[in-house]
Amino acid sequence: MSVRFCPIASGSSGNCIYTGTERTNILFDAGISGKKIKEGLDILNVDGNKIDALFITHEHSDHIKGAGIISRRFDIPIYATEGTWKAMESSIGEISRKNIKIIYSGESCVINDMCVMPFDIPHDAAEPVGYSIFAKNYKMTIATDLGHITETVKENIMGSDVILIES
């Protein structure tokens, strides 16, 4: 029984993080091409058709470039805040209505055996969030594009086994 946390890409040229267990496969951000995401998943021996969800932190291109492509190719639901959806929907192309999922900061979302908790982050975007991911007895936290650490960010990274911070 293992939990995996694997950055496929991180930085201003694009962001994409994979987390998974034996039962669940989740991507966080898709800021690189669909081809590069597929190549990253292949390296991890993860079938794109087995991705259960794609969570978006915010609408900047280095976080959403491949989101529409990967969602359409593998029929993956995209989870994002309402503000992020409104800001990104014209950039990612048409997404199947069933794959548009609105999330709210502070409200957890359970995908199989993983729990994802979005939290507010300070960034110049419509409604950006970071994510704490709970799987088995592990806590992993993603907080990208931080200009500074707020109390909310501090509270959410506390107790994490793995933290990915980009600033």
Side-chain angles (χ1 to χ4, degrees):
M1 293 244 214
S2 66
V3 177
R4 296 185 352 167
F5 183 95
C6 306
I8 293 172
S10 180
S12 58
S13 60
N15 297 273
C16 185
I17 298 117
Y18 165 82
T19 60
T21 65
E22 293 84 7
R23 292 187 50 219
T24 308
N25 298 288
I26 299 176
L27 290 176
F28 291 86
D29 288 335
I32 54 178
S33 71
K35 180 181 178 187
K36 286 185 180 178
I37 293 170
K38 172 77 169 75
E39 289 170 358
L41 291 173
D42 288 346
I43 290 168
L44 298 172
N45 291 316
V46 175
D47 182 346
N49 290 305
K50 302 280 186 193
I51 298 296
D52 298 293
L54 167 59
F55 284 83
I56 302 294
T57 57
H58 64 285
E59 74 275 7
H60 294 164
S61 64
D62 60 326
H63 294 263
I64 65 163
K65 180 179 180 180
I69 295 160
I70 209 84
S71 175
R72 287 186 293 277
R73 182 173 183 185
F74 297 115
D75 195 30
I76 301 169
I78 301 175
Y79 293 77
T81 62
E82 188 172 7
T84 297
W85 263 112
K86 287 179 181 176
M88 76 175 177
E89 62 188 337
S90 65
S91 299
I92 65 172
E94 192 166 331
I95 301 299
S96 171
R97 189 155 192 72
K98 70 180 174 73
N99 285 336
I100 297 172
K101 307 291 184 182
I102 305 291
I103 57 169
Y104 301 93
S105 178
E107 291 187 15
S108 62
C109 179
V110 176
I111 309 289
N112 300 328
D113 63 347
M114 296 177 78
C115 178
V116 179
M117 175 69 76
F119 59 90
D120 294 328
I121 62 165
H123 187 45
D124 63 343
E127 194 179 356
V129 290
Y131 293 103
S132 287
I133 306 107
F134 302 88
K136 314 261 186 232
N137 291 322
Y138 294 97
K139 178 182 180 184
M140 302 156 281
T141 302
I142 298 167
T144 59
D145 290 12
L146 296 176
H148 63 282
I149 304 278
T150 63
E151 282 303 314
T152 300
V153 172
K154 236 187 267 186
E155 289 167 10
N156 282 279
I157 64 175
M158 293 292 286
S160 295
D161 297 290
V162 176
I163 302 170
L164 186 140
I165 294 179
E166 183 197 42
S167 62

